Amino acid sequence: MKSGILPLPTEVVHLIAAGEVIDSLAAVVRELAENSLDAGATRVVIYLYPQQWRVRIADNGCGMDLENLQACATAHSTSKIRSCEDLWQVTSLGFRGEALHSLAQLAELEILSRAAETGEGWRVRYCDRGEVLETETVAIAPGTVVTVSNLFANWAERRQGMPSLSQQTRAIQNTIQQIALCHPHVTWQVWQDDREWFTLSPGATTQHLIPQILRQVSLSDLQYLKVEVPTPFEGAGSRGAEEQRENLIPNSEFRIPNSHYSSLQLVLGLPDRCHRHRPDWVRVAVNGRMVKFAELEQTIFAAMTRTLPRDRYPVCFLHLKVAPWQIDWNRQPAKTEIYLHHLSHWQEHTAGAIEQILRLNSNSVSDAAHNTRVTKLIKVAEEKGVYSTSRAIAQGDKGDKGDKEDKGDKEDKGDKEVEGGSTLHPTPHTLHPFLKAIAQVHNMYILVEHPGGMWLVEQHIAHERVLYEQLCDRWQLVPLEPPVILNHLSLAQIAQLQRLNLEVEPFGDRLWAVRSAPAMLVQRDDCADALVELSLGGDLQAAQVATACRCAIRNGTTLSLEEMQTLLNQWQRTRNPRTCPHGRPIYLSLEESALSRFFRRHWVIGKSHGI
């Protein structure tokens, strides 16, 4: 039976719209916290009463006068946009004018507020249409207090379909943390059922917020970088581009310096210190709001390839400050998905920023707080009173092969061949190295002096990183004369060699002739073994890792001071010098502060015979 098409009643339309904006307690917290930030708040206190379906949020923002209080909960009312053109100049977190009106539809809404320039505050209660029910003057500090009670009281089905209260409180915590990461200058204090739950203290950058959220991560595990990024305009020199430049909001937090630059802020967990079991801590924010952005997340994962251990994922927070006209926020009501113009431009600069942050330079090696492992060793030494090291311990370390791909570390100890058979030769000092080779320890580690203390660098994996990046930049296959004859290869092994573009031909009964190989392997005595290893599986990148590992200097090889310095010069120029391609840390840092602490250099002069 067909029914006629009729317009929905107004109250049904409003209820559907309100349910799209406010779908949970966490959504209440999100909308009200964003309003507080738009009001310039630097302190936000959140009171949660999940059993009563009640939320109260107090802030020290600019507040509202009575006229604005009377209008703020009416449908589609906002102070943040005035015309269609303003949709392309959005510099606030909220602009649709739906949040307070939706809350009035779905709950009991009360707001107390006082504008900073006035001497009195006001308390207003609203009906389900967002209109004023009751008004009275109150004594209140400048700012706003919003109370939402009995959420979904008139929508029992929505309450019944909600997750458990414990799941909802976790969602609220996650919501607050995401907002705090985007606004590190704000203090957040959260109470649950009149008991303090957690506090997030402000910091200069997001780098200071992450250790408060991830307790196992310390400040020194993270590196912060802010770079200016050229703003892409639609047709350089065109009239449209000039109009875009002129339409910048002069007093906006997101104003582009000199009308030509946006910015990119990156906080990255250094791969030799910090990583996760799950890909749950790669976060992207745009103009103060956390967003879902699969393309930029994949860019981050790709840039961190072969810097982390197997099945581990990075800790990364990327915040783009983008010119307003580059973004379309009207993709979904929660504004967690957006359209970003010139996406490839931002992907390129994100990858470049990650590469920059991972490099070693004289400014990035002074990280005294990183010495957690060394500090523990020092504390143990001080407790036991033992200050010498045992050669047996160092020799025992050789038995720990790490990844199985490193199985050749202990063979051919006299082999110093690198880069396809050539030995280490000094490189011209085209730049002044800040790492200075001092000595070789147990023919395995290079003792290095740098401006902030000293390092121990494992020679094999440092050289492995050098060779791997060379192979990534130039993977060259050359003819084998004579060919290498392999036997008992399976069809899968033959197919794998062919996938790597190696020339393989039958040579007799169960014999195969390999007529080309990576250039770095050609002159090696173990070329046949290397080709068998390449035939066992993996993509091109895995083949490059295996080749670099096999060709790198073996632990146990004696190096001259000149050869050690050459290796250090090559290693410190690599793109990802902190870990080997398997994700193992390459160096152990012992900073000047740790040395001073161990040798009691902090003692007051006169308390001992030393100075």
Side-chain angles (χ1 to χ4, degrees):
M1 179 178 178
K2 294 183 178 179
S3 60
I5 297 176
L6 297 173
L8 287 171
T10 302
E11 62 271 16
V12 176
V13 173
H14 287 170
L15 192 61
I16 292 173
E20 290 178 347
V21 177
I22 306 297
D23 59 2
S24 62
L25 284 169
V28 175
V29 172
R30 180 193 68 225
E31 295 293 340
L32 296 182
E34 288 181 351
N35 280 348
S36 295
L37 294 172
D38 281 341
T42 58
R43 179 179 179 82
V44 180
V45 184
I46 301 172
Y47 302 90
L48 304 172
Y49 304 91
Q51 297 283 357
Q52 290 80 38
W53 296 85
R54 179 152 50 103
V55 175
R56 176 181 297 144
I57 295 186
D59 66 56
N60 65 345
C62 63
M64 291 181 282
D65 57 23
L66 180 58
E67 181 181 358
N68 285 317
L69 271 172
Q70 292 172 332
C72 68
T74 55
H76 303 293
S77 57
T78 179
S79 63
K80 295 153 190 174
I81 60 173
R82 291 289 182 268
S83 64
C84 292
E85 289 75 17
D86 291 340
L87 290 175
W88 301 105
Q89 299 178 17
V90 173
T91 59
S92 60
L93 297 174
F95 58 87
R96 292 180 173 176
E98 296 180 14
L100 293 178
H101 182 67
S102 296
L103 289 171
Q105 293 267 317
L106 299 170
E108 299 169 11
L109 178 64
E110 177 186 273
I111 303 179
L112 287 74
S113 192
R114 173 187 160 191
E117 64 275 6
T118 63
E120 61 182 358
W122 296 91
R123 170 183 167 271
V124 178
R125 287 199 310 114
Y126 304 86
C127 69
D128 59 2
R129 297 184 303 277
E131 298 171 354
V132 175
L133 278 179
E134 181 182 346
T135 302
E136 65 175 343
T137 58
V138 292
I140 182 178
T144 301
V145 181
V146 181
T147 303
V148 175
S149 305
N150 291 323
L151 182 66
F152 303 130
N154 60 344
W155 198 345
E157 294 81 4
R158 174 62 65 90
R159 275 196 184 182
Q160 293 170 1
M162 286 287 175
S164 66
L165 290 179
S166 62
Q167 289 176 298
Q168 292 195 60
T169 54
R170 283 197 295 271
I172 291 170
Q173 183 181 33
N174 184 57
T175 297
I176 296 169
Q177 290 173 348
Q178 290 196 359
I179 297 174
L181 289 171
C182 302
H183 303 271
H185 64 285
V186 177
T187 299
W188 300 85
Q189 188 176 12
V190 186
W191 294 68
Q192 184 176 176
D193 296 324
D194 295 322
R195 294 184 178 181
E196 188 171 6
W197 183 13
F198 67 90
T199 299
L200 295 175
S201 302
T205 69
T206 305
Q207 182 182 5
H208 297 85
L209 267 292
I210 292 178
Q212 298 181 56
I213 298 171
L214 291 177
R215 298 295 182 178
Q216 68 273 30
V217 174
S218 65
L219 187 65
S220 61
D221 293 335
L222 307 167
Q223 197 81 12
Y224 171 79
L225 178 68
K226 180 179 180 180
V227 293
E228 287 189 343
V229 177
T231 300
F233 292 100
E234 301 289 352
S238 67
R239 179 180 177 182
E242 292 302 320
E243 289 177 354
Q244 290 172 345
R245 293 186 180 98
E246 292 172 1
N247 285 337
L248 286 166
I249 310 301
N251 297 320
S252 168
E253 177 188 355
F254 305 114
R255 180 173 175 265
I256 312 304
N258 300 324
S259 300
H260 292 283
Y261 288 92
S262 303
S263 70
L264 178 155
Q265 297 180 44
L266 181 68
V267 181
L268 184 67
L270 298 175
D272 55 334
R273 311 177 191 180
C274 175
H275 33 74
R276 303 276 291 175
H277 285 292
R278 300 183 303 277
D280 60 343
W281 248 92
V282 171
R283 312 284 178 90
V284 177
V286 177
N287 286 12
R289 179 184 282 110
M290 201 79 74
V291 294
K292 298 174 184 176
F293 219 127
E295 295 89 347
L296 283 173
E297 291 170 10
Q298 288 304 315
T299 297
I300 294 168
F301 286 125
M304 298 294 289
T305 300
R306 290 295 176 180
T307 66
L308 297 168
R310 185 178 303 162
D311 299 325
R312 301 289 287 188
Y313 301 93
V315 172
C316 181
F317 177 76
L318 173 68
H319 195 172
L320 306 182
K321 298 292 183 72
V322 180
W325 63 80
Q326 300 280 328
I327 310 168
D328 182 359
W329 290 104
N330 290 290
R331 186 168 180 175
Q332 55 142 242
K335 301 184 284 289
T336 57
E337 296 181 18
I338 63 171
Y339 294 103
L340 179 63
H341 303 298
H342 305 285
L343 175 59
S344 59
H345 174 82
W346 291 103
Q347 289 176 309
E348 178 185 348
H349 284 281
T350 297
I354 292 175
E355 180 178 325
Q356 182 178 343
I357 219 170
L358 291 177
R359 288 184 181 273
L360 293 180
N361 56 66
S362 57
N363 295 322
S364 69
V365 299
S366 181
D367 47 4
H370 163 51
N371 298 303
T372 53
R373 287 173 293 176
V374 177
T375 301
K376 290 178 182 178
L377 291 173
I378 290 175
K379 287 181 178 178
V380 171
E382 289 174 338
E383 289 171 2
K384 294 183 178 179
V386 178
Y387 299 98
S388 61
T389 59
S390 168
R391 183 178 180 85
I393 294 175
Q395 290 173 336
D397 289 346
K398 292 184 180 182
D400 183 8
K401 297 182 181 180
D403 290 275
K404 62 182 181 181
E405 294 172 76
D406 285 340
K407 60 187 178 182
D409 283 4
K410 315 303 176 291
E411 303 170 359
D412 303 328
K413 293 186 176 181
D415 183 9
K416 287 193 271 184
E417 293 184 348
V418 295
E419 301 181 38
S422 61
T423 56
L424 277 173
H425 293 296
T427 55
H429 286 225
T430 54
L431 58 85
H432 300 290
F434 65 92
L435 301 180
K436 179 181 179 182
I438 302 299
Q440 189 181 28
V441 181
H442 301 318
N443 292 337
M444 184 183 303
Y445 307 107
I446 302 174
L447 182 62
V448 180
E449 179 185 2
H450 72 80
M454 66 175 68
W455 287 352
L456 280 179
V457 176
E458 190 190 310
Q459 62 192 37
H460 169 75
I461 58 177
H463 195 215
E464 184 181 351
R465 168 55 68 181
V466 170
L467 297 184
Y468 171 69
E469 293 197 5
Q470 290 177 355
L471 289 169
C472 289
D473 293 339
R474 190 166 183 264
W475 176 251
Q476 184 181 14
L477 301 179
V478 299
L480 282 170
E481 295 293 344
V484 172
I485 308 301
L486 303 179
N487 58 11
H488 296 90
L489 292 180
S490 67
L491 293 178
Q493 287 178 288
I494 296 166
Q496 170 64 15
L497 292 174
Q498 291 172 339
R499 275 195 294 270
L500 296 174
N501 292 323
L502 302 185
E503 186 179 350
V504 184
E505 297 178 352
F507 195 72
D509 185 24
R510 307 191 72 178
L511 296 176
W512 298 86
V514 182
R515 299 189 179 276
S516 63
M520 201 173 283
L521 296 175
V522 169
Q523 300 300 322
R524 293 186 61 87
D525 295 336
D526 59 353
C527 182
D529 293 336
L531 293 173
V532 171
E533 184 179 5
L534 296 183
S535 74
L536 295 178
D539 56 9
L540 175 60
Q541 194 175 76
Q544 292 166 338
V545 172
T547 301
C549 182
R550 182 173 289 272
C551 295
I553 301 168
R554 301 296 179 216
N555 285 329
T557 302
T558 304
L559 299 178
S560 68
L561 198 61
E562 192 173 38
E563 289 170 331
M564 287 186 279
Q565 187 63 56
T566 297
L567 175 55
L568 292 177
N569 293 347
Q570 295 174 343
W571 167 61
Q572 69 180 338
R573 293 187 181 100
T574 59
R575 293 184 292 274
N576 298 304
R578 297 181 180 274
T579 56
C580 76
H582 307 115
R584 293 185 296 164
I586 292 175
Y587 69 95
L588 175 67
S589 172
L590 184 58
E591 304 298 325
E592 180 62 34
S593 58
L595 292 170
S596 297
R597 185 164 57 252
F598 180 74
F599 290 108
R600 310 293 198 273
R601 296 294 296 175
H602 61 284
W603 284 11
V604 177
I605 295 177
K607 285 190 176 181
S608 69
H609 296 294
I611 295 178

